[in-house]
Amino acid sequence: MTKGKKKSGVSAASVQREPSNFHLQNWQCIFILAMFVIVFFHQHLLGKAFLWEDFLYHSYPVRSFAATSMAMGEMPLWNPFTFNGMPFLADIQTTVFYLPCTLLMFFVHDGVLNSYWLQLLIILHYLLAGAGMFHLAKSFRLHQLAALIAGASYMFSGFMITHAIHQQIITLVSWFPLILLFFRNALRTKEWKWVFLAALVLGHSTLAGYPQLSLYFYFFLGAFFLFELLGAFKAKDLASQPALTMTAKAGLIVALSVAVAMIQLLPTLELSGLSQRAEITYDKSAEGSLAWSQLLTFYFPKFFGVSDAHGYSYVGPGPYWYYWETAMYLGILPLILGILSAFILKKDRIIPFLFGVIAFVLLFSLGKNFFLHKLFYEFVPGFSTFRNPARMGILISLAVSLLGAFSLDHLLSGGIPVTQKKRFAKIVMIVGGIGVGFWILISMNVVQNALGLVVNDQAGAAIQKYSNISLVVILAAWALLLWFLKKDTVSMISGLLLVAVFAGDVYLFGGEQNTATVDPMQYFGKAGQLVEFFKKDAGDMPFRVNSRNSQGMIMDRNQGMVSRLQTMEGYTPLALQRVYPPMASDTAMFDVLNVRFKTVTRGNSLSIERNENPLPRAFFVYQFYVLEKENELVDTLKSHSFDYRSIAALEKDPGKTLSPGTSPKWSTKVVSYENNEIKLEVDTSIEGFLVLSEIYYPGWNAYVDGTSTEIFRTDYNLRGFFVPKGAHEVDVRFEPSSYANGRMITLASLIVCFGGIGISMRKKKSQSTTE
């Protein structure tokens, strides 16, 4: 540890204590955690159950497009298959450079990525979460059983179970314990390898694609750094060399981690300002707030009903998806053990820090129901960008898992005074008694009436059923802990019984939460014949499909990414602000967007109809308007008098004019069409303006016979540029400078990180040899 005037204070936890008859190697504990994961997800691993909701509608289509593109040797910078085309890599949730997701390209077979591999990737991250928490707990010199319970309680907290459908969330938060371990080692030891290792893992975790939780964790690390700094040094010593060294380490970790992720962050920053979520109101940001009444779910997680793969019975505050956004359940054993840790604050100084984290996160998670979230929204950069404040609850899972491990370590360490055992027994009795008391009130409908819940007989029966299950778990945990308090030693069987009670608790809570019966491969395969019809009919010409209208959809919104079919629709949190041009009619919009097939309603069913006269993907016009004000532009495009086939509407004065002449002749041909590049052969009898029915976005460059020419935003959201008289070869390439610059920064930071780790380890080896 860095030396200072004040000791860091680990007291009782600094000495390893093992329960007399419970001895396992670290690898055996990890094996138990792995078996826990296998049992919990056995249906998924056997291909009998599937993740659902966002996994089906967003994660799999995104990964399918990315993996198949990379398997074909093409970097997925641009996605032409949804929302008429949009940046792909720039959307951080596409996780293109998150290494486990990147490796999925090796599992593409015959141009198809089976969803099983993505599901397996998510499941493996649960083991990463548990193993990371196990080793973090061990770093506090807690014995195996306590660390094992910590690992299990983190990886299967209510947050982790209900968010299994969100690939980006699970793959990100699974790294939190390991990052905290590396970060803590970097601050407390002289080995600089931990600095570079922490930066590398923290930066890579950001690439997992959930910036909201990355922001929350950076905030947590900042608080942890201050806790370590002020715990190690008195105020007068904060300017000393050891204190400055600790500060420099923390700053270097943050700086390098951000640099590692720059290949993703720079493109995302560019997209964020052009997306529909560039700015959100406070009311929007407060969606997914925890209600005060939902604190009851720490005991009775399904009191308000459920929203799972088998249906929605949620009657709590907010819509159905609030169920998983506000899931705070930790398991009864971790809850009771966490509460017990309040009475051993002197065991390790991190215990009061973790209680402070819990208090802050709870108050922040309340969102609109408390003032703290509003303060952060108004005054702290970054916090106004995101909604669902209760997602910070993952830090409660982390904190309670550690606190429970400290309590269990204390109970198992031996030599506890009889008076303290009696005090602990009273606390266990009180905590369990509160749960039983609430169950009685629930059974009498007192709680439901007090909260003003309006439930029918079916919902009321479900509440009672779930409450009865919770009561059984409460009584089991209650009895087990009281029994532990009476024993001086713990056998292997009784230790594993503790694990089994927790396992039964979380399995009852979430074992069926994500066991959907819809196989993504079959789901997206249903449209196979329709997709083949579209492609066969159009031949080699690029075209788009309108796949939905006000009455419904003929195929999934993200079918395009799976079937590599260009569609007008999509599903992503970061759609561009300008997706559809505001034309006078749907027909005009379909024509301009090169839509060859459109969805129509016949009677009570949806059908497909050919759009008879769409404009080609590239066409010439010889007149243009300059409309710099958006309202004037929209009014012009919406006017029935606007001739979109022969006039272009620009938002910037090109500094030149066109002479339309008499009946100019032109032709265009798409020679090749790839994600990031379009090659055309064009011919015009006079100078003209070539309009591409492709979405305008920074980074697209046009070359006419190899000479760069400026692209103008045309007709609200398309691309256009001037082409001189004659026959030409045109190349339009997506070459975003944000990606190029980010790639260079990331490469440099990786060299620094790996170089720093290598030098540090070599230096340590050299010192060991000398000694």
Side-chain angles (χ1 to χ4, degrees):
M1 175 187 170
T2 305
K3 294 182 179 180
K5 297 294 184 180
K6 185 178 177 181
K7 295 181 180 180
S8 65
V10 240
S11 63
S14 63
V15 180
Q16 181 78 27
R17 293 187 177 96
E18 295 286 351
S20 55
N21 296 318
F22 190 93
H23 299 284
L24 289 176
Q25 299 296 319
N26 286 353
W27 72 266
Q28 293 172 316
C29 291
I30 302 301
F31 177 78
I32 292 173
L33 291 174
M35 293 304 299
F36 195 176
V37 173
I38 290 172
V39 171
F40 195 89
F41 288 109
H42 71 279
Q43 295 184 70
H44 302 83
L45 294 172
L46 293 174
K48 296 180 179 179
F50 309 92
L51 299 178
W52 59 297
E53 188 71 20
D54 275 3
F55 175 85
L56 176 65
Y57 303 131
H58 182 256
S59 296
Y60 172 65
V62 165
R63 294 281 14 108
S64 174
F65 170 69
T68 53
S69 295
M70 298 178 80
M72 293 187 293
E74 191 171 15
M75 180 62 67
L77 300 178
W78 186 262
N79 167 25
F81 301 115
T82 56
F83 286 128
N84 306 310
M86 62 177 296
F88 184 79
L89 178 142
D91 181 350
I92 194 170
Q93 293 197 41
T94 60
T95 63
V96 172
F97 291 113
Y98 179 63
L99 187 57
C101 288
T102 305
L103 294 177
L104 287 177
M105 66 179 174
F106 296 110
F107 294 85
V108 173
H109 182 67
D110 291 335
V112 176
L113 173 69
N114 194 299
S115 61
Y116 181 86
W117 300 113
L118 178 59
Q119 192 164 263
L120 178 62
L121 180 149
I122 294 172
I123 292 171
L124 290 174
H125 277 76
Y126 280 82
L127 180 57
L128 171 63
M133 178 56 74
F134 172 82
H135 286 290
L136 176 61
K138 287 288 293 179
S139 73
F140 289 95
R141 299 185 183 277
L142 306 181
H143 51 59
Q144 263 81 2
L145 181 58
L148 179 61
I149 290 294
S153 60
Y154 180 74
M155 74 180 183
F156 282 121
S157 61
F159 182 100
M160 295 289 286
I161 291 173
T162 56
H163 281 289
I165 56 178
H166 299 126
Q167 167 216 314
Q168 295 83 355
I169 290 180
I170 295 301
T171 53
L172 173 60
V173 302
S174 295
W175 291 99
F176 282 3
L178 201 60
I179 294 169
L180 181 57
L181 172 61
F182 293 165
F183 188 78
R184 182 170 179 262
N185 287 346
L187 298 182
R188 295 168 64 90
T189 71
K190 294 181 179 180
E191 293 186 61
W192 279 81
K193 72 175 182 182
W194 296 113
V195 172
F196 299 108
L197 192 58
L200 190 64
V201 178
L202 179 57
H204 179 250
S205 75
T206 302
L207 300 177
Y210 219 83
Q212 178 180 12
L213 291 175
S214 290
L215 173 67
Y216 290 168
F217 196 61
Y218 272 103
F219 183 77
F220 170 81
L221 290 178
F224 183 80
F225 158 69
L226 291 176
F227 158 75
E228 286 285 347
L229 182 69
L230 298 178
F233 303 97
K234 295 181 179 179
K236 64 180 181 179
D237 299 318
L238 291 178
S240 65
Q241 183 176 350
L244 293 176
T245 298
M246 181 183 286
T247 303
K249 286 181 175 180
L252 185 58
I253 290 172
V254 171
L256 277 177
S257 66
V258 173
V260 166
M262 273 298 177
I263 193 171
Q264 178 66 70
L265 294 180
L266 283 184
T268 298
L269 183 63
E270 183 176 60
L271 172 61
S272 62
L274 300 171
S275 73
Q276 294 178 8
R277 292 182 62 177
E279 294 183 7
I280 60 175
T281 64
Y282 176 71
D283 288 340
K284 187 71 174 177
S285 74
E287 288 181 352
S289 295
L290 183 73
W292 287 99
S293 60
Q294 288 176 298
L295 297 179
L296 183 62
T297 60
F298 279 100
Y299 274 103
F300 300 93
K302 297 183 180 180
F303 174 78
F304 294 102
V306 300
S307 297
D308 62 19
H310 309 286
Y312 307 139
S313 63
Y314 181 72
V315 295
Y320 73 94
W321 49 268
Y322 271 45
Y323 175 73
W324 57 72
E325 293 297 355
T326 57
M328 293 284 185
Y329 190 61
L330 306 162
I332 296 300
L333 269 174
L335 176 65
I336 298 176
L337 289 171
I339 293 173
L340 287 177
S341 66
F343 298 88
I344 54 170
L345 294 178
K346 294 183 179 180
K347 186 177 179 69
D348 194 292
R349 63 187 183 86
I350 198 174
I351 294 177
F353 170 78
L354 293 174
F355 272 104
V357 170
I358 292 171
F360 174 85
V361 172
L362 270 179
L363 295 176
F364 181 89
S365 297
L366 289 166
K368 63 183 178 182
N369 301 308
F370 194 69
F371 66 86
L372 185 61
H373 174 255
K374 182 66 177 293
L375 290 178
F376 273 73
Y377 175 88
E378 296 286 353
F379 301 110
V380 182
F383 281 79
S384 62
T385 310
F386 305 106
R387 60 194 184 107
N388 298 314
R391 285 180 182 166
M392 194 183 277
I394 184 60
L395 296 179
I396 293 181
S397 300
L398 188 150
V400 172
S401 296
L402 273 180
L403 289 173
F406 276 107
S407 292
L408 188 56
D409 177 82
H410 186 69
L411 295 177
L412 300 174
S413 61
I416 301 176
V418 175
T419 54
Q420 190 177 53
K421 280 193 173 185
K422 290 182 177 180
R423 187 184 309 120
F424 280 2
K426 287 181 181 179
I427 296 167
V428 173
M429 291 288 291
I430 291 171
V431 175
I434 291 173
V436 174
F438 268 114
W439 176 83
I440 294 173
L441 295 176
I442 291 170
S443 299
M444 299 170 61
N445 287 322
V446 173
V447 177
Q448 294 91 314
N449 293 334
L451 296 177
L453 289 183
V454 180
V455 295
N456 54 33
D457 291 342
Q458 184 178 1
I463 289 174
Q464 189 61 57
K465 170 190 172 184
Y466 294 136
S467 299
N468 291 343
I469 293 173
S470 294
L471 176 66
V472 172
V473 175
I474 290 170
L475 293 176
W478 192 10
L480 184 60
L481 285 176
L482 290 175
W483 178 61
F484 262 61
L485 286 168
K486 291 183 178 181
K487 296 176 68 66
D488 293 325
T489 61
V490 179
S491 66
M492 180 71 71
I493 294 177
S494 58
L496 294 179
L497 180 62
L498 194 71
V499 178
V501 168
F502 172 76
D505 181 1
V506 297
Y507 194 83
L508 286 171
F509 165 69
E512 296 298 317
Q513 172 71 25
N514 300 297
T515 54
T517 58
V518 179
D519 183 346
M521 305 309 294
Q522 294 179 359
Y523 175 78
F524 286 102
K526 289 186 300 184
Q529 290 185 343
L530 188 60
V531 170
E532 288 303 315
F533 164 75
F534 290 146
K535 292 182 177 179
K536 183 177 180 180
D537 185 88
D540 296 331
M541 297 182 295
F543 66 97
R544 292 194 179 93
V545 173
N546 160 237
S547 64
R548 69 182 303 177
N549 61 21
S550 60
Q551 303 302 310
M553 301 183 292
I554 58 169
M555 55 188 180
D556 188 85
R557 293 165 292 180
N558 277 335
Q559 184 81 43
M561 282 191 285
V562 177
S563 301
R564 304 189 81 82
L565 178 72
Q566 296 186 29
T567 65
M568 291 179 60
E569 292 75 32
Y571 172 52
T572 176
L574 282 178
L576 291 172
Q577 293 172 4
R578 295 189 175 190
V579 176
Y580 308 111
M583 308 300 289
S585 66
D586 286 346
T587 298
M589 180 175 64
F590 293 156
D591 290 346
V592 169
L593 291 177
N594 185 224
V595 173
R596 186 170 294 276
F597 302 96
K598 58 185 179 181
T599 301
V600 295
T601 304
R602 292 196 176 97
N604 296 323
S605 62
L606 296 177
S607 183
I608 282 293
E609 184 178 277
R610 188 185 306 279
N611 186 29
E612 295 297 339
N613 195 25
L615 283 160
R617 187 56 59 97
F619 59 95
F620 275 98
V621 298
Y622 297 91
Q623 299 181 63
F624 61 84
Y625 299 149
V626 177
L627 304 163
E628 296 181 350
K629 295 182 178 180
E630 185 171 344
N631 61 333
E632 294 179 352
L633 172 67
V634 172
D635 289 343
T636 299
L637 292 174
K638 284 186 174 181
S639 172
H640 288 278
S641 62
F642 178 68
D643 184 3
Y644 55 85
R645 292 181 177 274
S646 59
I647 302 174
L650 310 184
E651 296 175 63
K652 175 185 176 182
D653 189 345
K656 63 186 305 182
T657 60
L658 289 175
S659 301
T662 304
S663 301
K665 296 180 179 180
W666 59 268
S667 66
T668 64
K669 178 184 177 182
V670 177
V671 178
S672 68
Y673 193 105
E674 299 177 355
N675 293 346
N676 311 319
E677 184 176 23
I678 306 170
K679 293 183 177 181
L680 307 101
E681 292 177 352
V682 303
D683 194 356
T684 175
S685 59
I686 60 174
E687 182 181 21
F689 190 79
L690 183 64
V691 179
L692 263 63
S693 182
E694 297 287 346
I695 297 297
Y696 178 90
Y697 190 80
W700 277 102
N701 298 319
Y703 303 89
V704 178
D705 297 328
T707 302
S708 177
T709 186
E710 182 177 3
I711 294 179
F712 296 89
R713 184 156 60 184
T714 306
D715 293 348
Y716 188 75
N717 66 340
L718 304 182
R719 304 173 210 157
F721 48 90
F722 292 92
V723 176
K725 173 183 176 180
H728 305 279
E729 293 182 352
V730 174
D731 195 2
V732 185
R733 299 196 293 265
F734 191 44
E735 303 167 318
S737 59
S738 58
Y739 168 65
N741 295 334
R743 180 177 56 190
M744 181 175 62
I745 296 172
T746 292
L747 180 60
S749 63
L750 289 176
I751 293 173
V752 172
C753 286
F754 283 112
I757 293 171
I759 292 172
S760 177
M761 294 180 69
R762 184 175 180 180
K763 182 178 180 182
K764 183 180 180 181
K765 183 178 180 180
S766 176
Q767 289 176 343
S768 300
T769 303
T770 303
E771 293 173 359

